[in-house]
Amino acid sequence: ISSLMAWMQMLEAYGVDKEIVDDMDKDVHRLSIIADRFSKIGSIPELELTYINEAVTESLSYMKSRISERVNLTLNLSKNETGVMLCLPLFEWVMENITKNAVDAMQGAGKLDITVSASEKVIIDISDTGKGIARKNFKTVFNPGYTTKKRGWGLGLTLVKRIIEEYHNGKIYVKDSEIDRGTTFRIELLITK
């Protein structure tokens, strides 16, 4: 990644179109974020006080530009800005993973609602209008190797569960789902007093 960053500076110095260099630079930055996330898995990540509305908004900013225009994304934030202890890069990974799974379940077209609320704890509901999950698989979707896709290893939701439950002392589960109607995943996090 360091080499790629140096090449980016060289391209800019040689007068390569700024728009092209900027796009490439975004991709290199994204690779750096992914490498940082993987480095945090397997070690105890550092948690910092983070405001949940800001964290969710930031997490979705990357995905918004990468999902189909046929997906109607609605974000409903908590009325009161609430602080939680998060490792932001890992939390962003959780939100991106669940969002991508939802878009895949809707085959690129449908409605995706993300709602953040806070009272005794922070609750984040991610609801899609996708193919749904059978009730018998509500817990199994988090097992390593579980996938309904033709490609993939079935590790995304396993990592999501580990990040939320082991690293953030929260909970994640399938709140509700109906076949051919959609699914709601719920994340619960403790509020920092």
Side-chain angles (χ1 to χ4, degrees):
I1 295 173
S2 298
S3 296
L4 288 171
M5 289 177 174
W7 276 104
M8 298 307 301
Q9 290 175 346
M10 284 186 62
L11 289 172
E12 194 171 343
Y14 283 121
V16 173
D17 185 340
K18 182 169 174 31
E19 191 174 319
I20 291 171
V21 173
D22 286 347
D23 280 349
M24 291 171 68
D25 196 42
K26 286 177 189 173
D27 291 338
V28 170
H29 178 70
R30 184 71 185 158
L31 282 173
S32 179
I33 289 171
I34 292 167
D36 180 53
R37 288 173 179 174
F38 274 106
S39 75
K40 289 176 176 24
I41 294 292
S43 61
I44 299 172
E46 204 171 300
L47 305 180
E48 296 179 2
L49 178 62
T50 310
Y51 291 99
I52 197 63
N53 284 345
E54 187 179 320
V56 170
T57 303
E58 187 65 30
S59 299
L60 295 174
S61 66
Y62 172 76
M63 289 304 294
K64 278 183 182 178
S65 63
R66 284 160 178 76
I67 59 177
S68 166
E69 291 179 5
R70 296 179 306 140
V71 173
N72 181 14
L73 175 64
T74 306
L75 180 57
N76 303 298
L77 297 173
S78 175
K79 288 180 179 40
N80 50 335
E81 186 59 282
T82 306
V84 293
M85 296 302 287
L86 290 179
C87 173
L88 190 56
L90 291 181
F91 178 76
E92 288 175 345
W93 198 2
V94 165
M95 293 301 295
E96 288 171 16
N97 193 300
I98 294 175
T99 302
K100 184 179 181 328
N101 282 354
V103 171
D104 289 348
M106 295 185 291
Q107 299 177 327
K111 193 167 172 14
L112 179 62
D113 292 320
I114 299 172
T115 303
V116 180
S117 58
S119 54
E120 278 104 55
K121 56 188 153 191
V122 166
I123 294 175
I124 304 165
D125 286 337
I126 302 111
S127 302
D128 65 57
T129 56
K131 57 187 169 189
I133 300 169
R135 184 164 293 282
K136 67 179 181 169
N137 292 330
F138 278 19
K139 290 185 179 167
T140 342
V141 295
F142 295 102
N143 292 345
Y146 180 90
T147 185
T148 59
K149 300 174 189 175
K150 291 180 181 163
R151 294 179 35 160
W153 294 348
L155 295 176
L157 288 177
T158 303
L159 279 172
V160 161
K161 187 171 183 70
R162 182 175 186 180
I163 290 167
I164 292 298
E165 296 189 356
E166 291 181 28
Y167 296 157
H168 292 91
N169 295 317
K171 287 175 68 176
I172 182 166
Y173 52 93
V174 178
K175 178 182 177 254
D176 189 37
S177 188
E178 270 186 69
I179 299 298
D180 297 326
R181 299 286 307 256
T183 301
T184 299
F185 280 88
R186 174 167 280 183
I187 298 171
E188 297 179 3
L189 297 167
L190 299 174
I191 292 175
T192 302
K193 302 285 184 197

Coordinates of all heavy atoms in Angstrom, one line a residue, residues 62-132:
Y62 N -19.6 5.5 2.4 CA -18.9 4.8 1.4 C -19.9 3.9 0.5 O -19.8 3.8 -0.7 CB -17.9 3.8 2.1 CG -17.2 2.9 1.1 CD1 -16.2 3.3 0.2 CD2 -17.6 1.5 1.1 CE1 -15.6 2.4 -0.7 CE2 -17.0 0.6 0.2 CZ -16.0 1.1 -0.6 OH -15.5 0.2 -1.5
M63 N -20.8 3.3 1.2 CA -21.8 2.4 0.5 C -22.7 3.1 -0.4 O -23.1 2.6 -1.5 CB -22.5 1.5 1.5 CG -21.7 0.5 2.2 SD -20.9 -0.7 1.2 CE -22.2 -1.5 0.4
K64 N -23.1 4.3 0.0 CA -24.1 5.1 -0.8 C -23.7 5.2 -2.3 O -24.5 5.1 -3.2 CB -24.4 6.5 -0.2 CG -25.3 6.5 0.9 CD -25.6 7.9 1.4 CE -26.5 7.9 2.6 NZ -26.7 9.3 3.1
S65 N -22.4 5.5 -2.5 CA -22.0 5.7 -3.9 C -21.8 4.4 -4.6 O -21.5 4.4 -5.8 CB -20.7 6.5 -3.9 OG -19.7 5.8 -3.2
R66 N -21.9 3.2 -3.9 CA -21.6 2.0 -4.5 C -22.8 1.0 -4.7 O -22.7 -0.1 -5.1 CB -20.5 1.3 -3.8 CG -19.1 1.9 -4.1 CD -18.1 1.6 -3.1 NE -16.8 2.2 -3.4 CZ -16.6 3.5 -3.3 NH1 -17.4 4.4 -2.9 NH2 -15.4 4.0 -3.7
I67 N -24.0 1.5 -4.2 CA -25.1 0.7 -4.4 C -26.0 1.2 -5.6 O -25.9 2.3 -5.9 CB -26.0 0.6 -3.1 CG1 -26.5 1.9 -2.6 CG2 -25.2 -0.1 -2.0 CD1 -27.4 1.9 -1.4
S68 N -26.8 0.3 -6.1 CA -27.6 0.6 -7.2 C -28.5 1.8 -6.9 O -29.0 1.9 -5.8 CB -28.5 -0.6 -7.6 OG -29.5 -0.3 -8.4
E69 N -28.8 2.6 -7.9 CA -29.7 3.7 -7.8 C -31.2 3.2 -7.6 O -32.1 3.9 -7.2 CB -29.6 4.6 -9.0 CG -28.3 5.4 -9.1 CD -28.2 6.3 -10.3 OE1 -29.2 6.4 -11.0 OE2 -27.2 6.9 -10.5
R70 N -31.4 1.9 -7.9 CA -32.7 1.3 -7.7 C -32.9 0.9 -6.3 O -34.0 0.3 -6.0 CB -32.8 0.1 -8.7 CG -32.8 0.5 -10.1 CD -32.9 -0.6 -11.1 NE -31.9 -1.7 -10.8 CZ -32.1 -3.0 -10.8 NH1 -33.3 -3.4 -11.2 NH2 -31.2 -3.9 -10.6
V71 N -32.0 1.1 -5.4 CA -32.2 0.9 -4.0 C -32.5 2.2 -3.3 O -31.7 3.1 -3.4 CB -30.9 0.2 -3.3 CG1 -31.1 0.2 -1.8 CG2 -30.7 -1.2 -3.9
N72 N -33.6 2.3 -2.7 CA -34.0 3.5 -2.0 C -33.5 3.4 -0.6 O -34.1 2.6 0.2 CB -35.6 3.7 -2.1 CG -36.0 4.9 -1.4 OD1 -35.3 5.8 -1.0 ND2 -37.3 5.0 -1.1
L73 N -32.5 4.1 -0.2 CA -31.9 4.1 1.1 C -32.4 5.2 1.9 O -32.3 6.4 1.6 CB -30.3 4.2 1.0 CG -29.5 4.2 2.3 CD1 -29.7 3.0 3.1 CD2 -28.1 4.5 2.0
T74 N -33.0 4.9 3.1 CA -33.5 5.9 4.0 C -32.7 5.7 5.4 O -32.6 4.6 5.9 CB -35.0 5.6 4.3 OG1 -35.7 5.6 3.0 CG2 -35.6 6.7 5.1
L75 N -32.3 6.8 5.9 CA -31.6 6.8 7.1 C -32.3 7.7 8.1 O -32.6 8.9 7.9 CB -30.1 7.4 6.9 CG -29.2 7.5 8.1 CD1 -29.0 6.2 8.8 CD2 -27.9 8.1 7.7
N76 N -32.8 7.1 9.2 CA -33.5 7.7 10.3 C -32.6 7.7 11.5 O -32.4 6.7 12.2 CB -34.8 7.0 10.6 CG -35.7 6.9 9.4 OD1 -36.1 7.8 8.8 ND2 -35.9 5.6 9.0
L77 N -32.1 8.9 11.9 CA -31.2 9.0 13.0 C -31.9 9.3 14.3 O -33.0 9.8 14.3 CB -30.1 10.1 12.7 CG -29.2 9.9 11.5 CD1 -28.4 11.1 11.2 CD2 -28.4 8.6 11.7
S78 N -31.2 9.0 15.4 CA -31.7 9.2 16.7 C -31.9 10.7 16.9 O -31.1 11.5 16.5 CB -30.8 8.7 17.8 OG -31.2 9.0 19.1
K79 N -33.0 11.1 17.7 CA -33.2 12.5 17.9 C -32.2 13.1 18.8 O -31.8 14.3 18.7 CB -34.6 12.7 18.6 CG -35.7 12.4 17.6 CD -37.1 12.6 18.2 CE -38.2 12.4 17.3 NZ -38.2 11.4 16.4
N80 N -31.6 12.3 19.7 CA -30.6 12.8 20.6 C -29.3 12.1 20.3 O -29.2 10.9 20.1 CB -30.9 12.6 22.1 CG -31.4 11.2 22.4 OD1 -31.9 10.5 21.5 ND2 -31.2 10.8 23.6
E81 N -28.2 12.9 20.1 CA -26.9 12.3 19.8 C -26.4 11.6 21.0 O -26.2 12.2 22.0 CB -26.0 13.4 19.3 CG -24.6 13.0 18.8 CD -24.7 12.0 17.6 OE1 -25.0 10.8 17.8 OE2 -24.5 12.5 16.5
T82 N -26.1 10.3 20.8 CA -25.7 9.5 21.9 C -24.3 8.9 21.7 O -24.0 8.5 20.6 CB -26.7 8.3 22.1 OG1 -28.0 8.9 22.2 CG2 -26.4 7.5 23.3
G83 N -23.5 8.9 22.8 CA -22.2 8.4 22.7 C -22.1 7.0 23.1 O -22.7 6.5 24.0
V84 N -21.3 6.2 22.3 CA -21.0 4.8 22.5 C -19.5 4.6 22.4 O -18.8 5.4 21.7 CB -21.7 3.9 21.6 CG1 -23.2 3.9 21.9 CG2 -21.5 4.2 20.1
M85 N -18.9 3.6 23.0 CA -17.5 3.2 22.8 C -17.4 2.3 21.6 O -18.0 1.2 21.6 CB -17.0 2.6 24.1 CG -17.0 3.5 25.3 SD -16.1 5.0 25.1 CE -14.4 4.4 25.2
L86 N -16.7 2.8 20.6 CA -16.6 2.0 19.3 C -15.1 2.0 18.9 O -14.4 3.0 19.1 CB -17.4 2.7 18.2 CG -18.9 2.6 18.3 CD1 -19.5 3.4 17.1 CD2 -19.4 1.2 18.3
C87 N -14.8 1.0 18.1 CA -13.7 1.0 17.2 C -14.3 1.3 15.9 O -14.9 0.5 15.3 CB -13.0 -0.4 17.2 SG -11.6 -0.4 16.0
L88 N -14.2 2.6 15.5 CA -14.9 3.1 14.3 C -14.6 2.3 13.0 O -15.5 1.9 12.3 CB -14.7 4.6 14.1 CG -15.6 5.2 13.1 CD1 -17.0 5.0 13.4 CD2 -15.2 6.7 13.0
P89 N -13.3 1.9 12.7 CA -13.1 1.2 11.5 C -13.8 -0.2 11.5 O -14.4 -0.6 10.5 CB -11.6 1.0 11.5 CG -11.0 2.1 12.3 CD -12.1 2.3 13.4
L90 N -13.9 -0.8 12.6 CA -14.6 -2.1 12.7 C -16.1 -1.9 12.6 O -16.8 -2.7 12.0 CB -14.2 -2.9 14.0 CG -12.8 -3.4 14.0 CD1 -12.5 -4.2 15.3 CD2 -12.4 -4.3 12.8
F91 N -16.6 -0.9 13.3 CA -18.1 -0.6 13.2 C -18.5 -0.3 11.8 O -19.5 -0.8 11.3 CB -18.4 0.5 14.2 CG -19.9 0.9 14.1 CD1 -20.8 0.1 14.7 CD2 -20.3 2.0 13.4 CE1 -22.2 0.4 14.6 CE2 -21.7 2.3 13.3 CZ -22.6 1.5 13.9
E92 N -17.6 0.5 11.1 CA -17.9 0.8 9.7 C -18.0 -0.5 8.9 O -18.8 -0.6 8.0 CB -16.9 1.8 9.1 CG -17.0 3.2 9.7 CD -15.9 4.1 9.2 OE1 -14.9 3.6 8.7 OE2 -16.1 5.3 9.4
W93 N -17.1 -1.4 9.2 CA -17.1 -2.7 8.5 C -18.4 -3.5 8.7 O -18.9 -4.0 7.8 CB -15.9 -3.5 9.0 CG -15.4 -4.6 8.1 CD1 -15.9 -5.0 6.9 CD2 -14.4 -5.5 8.4 NE1 -15.2 -6.1 6.4 CE2 -14.3 -6.4 7.3 CE3 -13.5 -5.7 9.5 CZ2 -13.3 -7.5 7.3 CZ3 -12.6 -6.7 9.4 CH2 -12.5 -7.6 8.4
V94 N -18.9 -3.4 9.9 CA -20.2 -4.1 10.2 C -21.3 -3.5 9.4 O -22.0 -4.2 8.7 CB -20.5 -3.9 11.7 CG1 -21.9 -4.3 12.0 CG2 -19.5 -4.8 12.6
M95 N -21.4 -2.2 9.4 CA -22.5 -1.5 8.7 C -22.3 -1.7 7.2 O -23.4 -2.0 6.5 CB -22.5 0.0 9.0 CG -22.8 0.3 10.4 SD -24.4 -0.2 10.9 CE -25.5 0.7 9.8
E96 N -21.2 -1.7 6.6 CA -21.0 -1.9 5.2 C -21.3 -3.4 4.8 O -22.0 -3.6 3.8 CB -19.5 -1.7 4.8 CG -19.2 -0.2 4.8 CD -17.7 0.1 4.6 OE1 -17.0 -0.8 4.2 OE2 -17.3 1.2 4.9
N97 N -21.0 -4.3 5.7 CA -21.2 -5.7 5.4 C -22.7 -6.0 5.4 O -23.3 -6.6 4.5 CB -20.5 -6.6 6.5 CG -20.5 -8.1 6.1 OD1 -21.6 -8.7 5.9 ND2 -19.3 -8.6 5.9
I98 N -23.4 -5.5 6.4 CA -24.9 -5.7 6.5 C -25.6 -5.0 5.4 O -26.5 -5.6 4.7 CB -25.4 -5.3 7.9 CG1 -24.9 -6.2 9.0 CG2 -27.0 -5.4 7.9 CD1 -25.3 -5.8 10.4
T99 N -25.2 -3.8 5.0 CA -25.8 -3.1 3.9 C -25.6 -3.8 2.6 O -26.5 -4.0 1.8 CB -25.2 -1.7 3.9 OG1 -25.4 -1.0 5.1 CG2 -25.8 -0.8 2.8
K100 N -24.3 -4.3 2.4 CA -24.1 -5.0 1.1 C -24.9 -6.3 1.1 O -25.4 -6.6 0.0 CB -22.6 -5.3 1.0 CG -22.2 -6.0 -0.3 CD -20.7 -6.3 -0.4 CE -20.4 -6.9 -1.7 NZ -21.3 -7.8 -2.3
N101 N -25.0 -7.0 2.2 CA -25.8 -8.2 2.2 C -27.3 -7.9 1.9 O -27.9 -8.6 1.1 CB -25.8 -8.9 3.5 CG -24.5 -9.7 3.7 OD1 -23.7 -9.8 2.8 ND2 -24.3 -10.2 4.9
A102 N -27.8 -6.8 2.4 CA -29.2 -6.4 2.1 C -29.4 -6.1 0.7 O -30.4 -6.5 0.1 CB -29.5 -5.2 3.0
V103 N -28.4 -5.3 0.1 CA -28.5 -5.0 -1.3 C -28.5 -6.3 -2.2 O -29.3 -6.4 -3.1 CB -27.4 -4.0 -1.7 CG1 -27.4 -3.8 -3.3 CG2 -27.6 -2.6 -1.0
D104 N -27.6 -7.2 -1.8 CA -27.5 -8.5 -2.5 C -28.9 -9.2 -2.4 O -29.3 -9.8 -3.4 CB -26.4 -9.3 -2.0 CG -25.0 -8.8 -2.4 OD1 -24.9 -7.9 -3.2 OD2 -24.0 -9.3 -1.8
A105 N -29.4 -9.2 -1.2 CA -30.7 -9.9 -1.0 C -31.9 -9.3 -1.8 O -32.8 -10.0 -2.2 CB -31.1 -10.0 0.5
M106 N -31.7 -8.0 -2.1 CA -32.8 -7.4 -2.9 C -32.4 -7.4 -4.4 O -33.2 -6.8 -5.2 CB -32.9 -5.9 -2.5 CG -33.4 -5.8 -1.1 SD -33.7 -4.0 -0.6 CE -32.0 -3.4 -0.5
Q107 N -31.3 -8.1 -4.7 CA -30.9 -8.2 -6.1 C -30.8 -6.8 -6.8 O -31.1 -6.6 -7.9 CB -31.7 -9.1 -6.9 CG -31.7 -10.5 -6.4 CD -32.6 -11.5 -7.1 OE1 -33.7 -11.1 -7.6 NE2 -32.2 -12.7 -7.2
G108 N -30.3 -5.8 -6.0 CA -30.0 -4.5 -6.5 C -31.2 -3.6 -6.6 O -31.0 -2.5 -7.2
A109 N -32.4 -4.0 -6.2 CA -33.5 -3.1 -6.3 C -34.4 -3.3 -5.1 O -34.8 -4.5 -4.7 CB -34.3 -3.3 -7.6
G110 N -34.8 -2.2 -4.4 CA -35.7 -2.3 -3.3 C -35.6 -1.2 -2.3 O -35.1 -0.1 -2.7
K111 N -36.0 -1.4 -1.1 CA -36.0 -0.4 -0.1 C -35.1 -0.8 1.1 O -35.2 -2.0 1.6 CB -37.4 -0.1 0.4 CG -37.6 1.1 1.2 CD -39.1 1.4 1.3 CE -39.6 2.4 2.2 NZ -38.8 3.4 2.8
L112 N -34.2 0.0 1.5 CA -33.3 -0.2 2.6 C -33.5 0.9 3.7 O -33.2 2.0 3.4 CB -31.8 -0.3 2.2 CG -30.8 -0.6 3.2 CD1 -31.0 -1.9 3.9 CD2 -29.4 -0.6 2.5
D113 N -34.0 0.5 4.8 CA -34.2 1.5 5.9 C -33.2 1.2 7.0 O -33.2 0.1 7.5 CB -35.6 1.4 6.4 CG -36.6 1.9 5.4 OD1 -36.4 2.9 4.7 OD2 -37.7 1.3 5.3
I114 N -32.5 2.3 7.5 CA -31.6 2.1 8.6 C -32.1 3.1 9.7 O -32.2 4.3 9.4 CB -30.2 2.4 8.3 CG1 -29.8 1.3 7.2 CG2 -29.3 2.4 9.5 CD1 -28.5 1.5 6.6
T115 N -32.5 2.6 10.8 CA -33.1 3.5 11.9 C -32.2 3.3 13.2 O -31.9 2.2 13.6 CB -34.5 3.0 12.2 OG1 -35.3 3.1 11.0 CG2 -35.1 3.9 13.3
V116 N -31.8 4.5 13.7 CA -31.0 4.6 14.9 C -31.9 5.2 16.0 O -32.5 6.2 15.8 CB -29.8 5.4 14.7 CG1 -28.9 5.5 16.0 CG2 -28.9 4.9 13.6
S117 N -32.0 4.5 17.2 CA -32.7 5.1 18.3 C -31.9 4.8 19.6 O -31.0 3.9 19.6 CB -34.1 4.4 18.4 OG -34.0 3.0 18.6
A118 N -32.2 5.6 20.6 CA -31.4 5.5 21.8 C -32.4 5.8 23.0 O -33.1 6.7 23.0 CB -30.3 6.4 21.9
S119 N -32.3 4.9 24.0 CA -33.0 5.1 25.3 C -32.0 4.5 26.3 O -31.1 5.2 26.7 CB -34.4 4.5 25.3 OG -34.3 3.1 25.0
E120 N -32.3 3.3 26.8 CA -31.3 2.7 27.7 C -30.1 2.2 27.0 O -29.1 2.0 27.5 CB -32.0 1.5 28.5 CG -32.8 1.9 29.7 CD -34.3 1.9 29.3 OE1 -34.7 0.8 28.9 OE2 -35.0 2.9 29.5
K121 N -30.3 1.9 25.7 CA -29.2 1.4 24.8 C -29.4 2.0 23.4 O -30.5 2.4 23.1 CB -29.0 -0.1 24.8 CG -30.2 -0.8 24.5 CD -30.1 -2.3 24.7 CE -31.4 -3.0 24.9 NZ -31.3 -4.3 25.4
V122 N -28.4 1.9 22.6 CA -28.5 2.3 21.2 C -29.0 1.1 20.4 O -28.5 0.0 20.6 CB -27.1 2.8 20.6 CG1 -27.2 2.9 19.1 CG2 -26.8 4.1 21.3
I123 N -30.0 1.3 19.6 CA -30.5 0.3 18.7 C -30.4 0.8 17.3 O -30.8 1.9 17.0 CB -32.0 0.0 19.1 CG1 -32.0 -0.6 20.5 CG2 -32.6 -0.9 18.1 CD1 -33.4 -0.9 21.0
I124 N -29.9 -0.1 16.5 CA -29.8 0.2 15.0 C -30.5 -1.0 14.3 O -30.1 -2.1 14.4 CB -28.3 0.2 14.6 CG1 -27.5 1.3 15.4 CG2 -28.2 0.5 13.1 CD1 -26.0 1.1 15.3
D125 N -31.5 -0.6 13.6 CA -32.3 -1.6 12.8 C -32.0 -1.4 11.3 O -32.1 -0.2 10.8 CB -33.8 -1.5 13.0 CG -34.2 -2.0 14.3 OD1 -33.5 -2.9 14.9 OD2 -35.3 -1.6 14.8
I126 N -31.6 -2.4 10.6 CA -31.3 -2.4 9.2 C -32.3 -3.3 8.5 O -32.3 -4.5 8.7 CB -29.8 -2.9 8.9 CG1 -28.8 -2.0 9.7 CG2 -29.6 -2.8 7.4 CD1 -28.1 -2.7 10.7
S127 N -33.2 -2.7 7.8 CA -34.4 -3.4 7.2 C -34.3 -3.3 5.7 O -34.1 -2.3 5.1 CB -35.7 -2.9 7.7 OG -35.8 -2.9 9.1
D128 N -34.5 -4.5 5.0 CA -34.5 -4.5 3.6 C -35.7 -5.2 3.1 O -36.5 -5.8 3.8 CB -33.2 -5.3 3.0 CG -33.2 -6.8 3.4 OD1 -34.2 -7.5 3.1 OD2 -32.2 -7.2 4.0
T129 N -36.0 -5.1 1.8 CA -37.1 -5.7 1.1 C -36.7 -6.9 0.3 O -37.2 -7.1 -0.8 CB -37.9 -4.7 0.3 OG1 -37.1 -4.1 -0.6 CG2 -38.6 -3.6 1.2
G130 N -35.7 -7.6 0.8 CA -35.1 -8.7 0.0 C -35.8 -10.0 0.1 O -37.0 -10.1 0.5
K131 N -35.1 -11.1 -0.1 CA -35.7 -12.4 -0.2 C -36.0 -13.0 1.1 O -36.8 -14.0 1.2 CB -34.8 -13.4 -1.0 CG -33.4 -13.5 -0.5 CD -32.6 -14.3 -1.5 CE -31.1 -14.3 -1.1 NZ -30.3 -14.9 -2.1
G132 N -35.5 -12.4 2.2 CA -35.9 -12.9 3.6 C -35.1 -14.1 4.0 O -34.3 -14.7 3.2

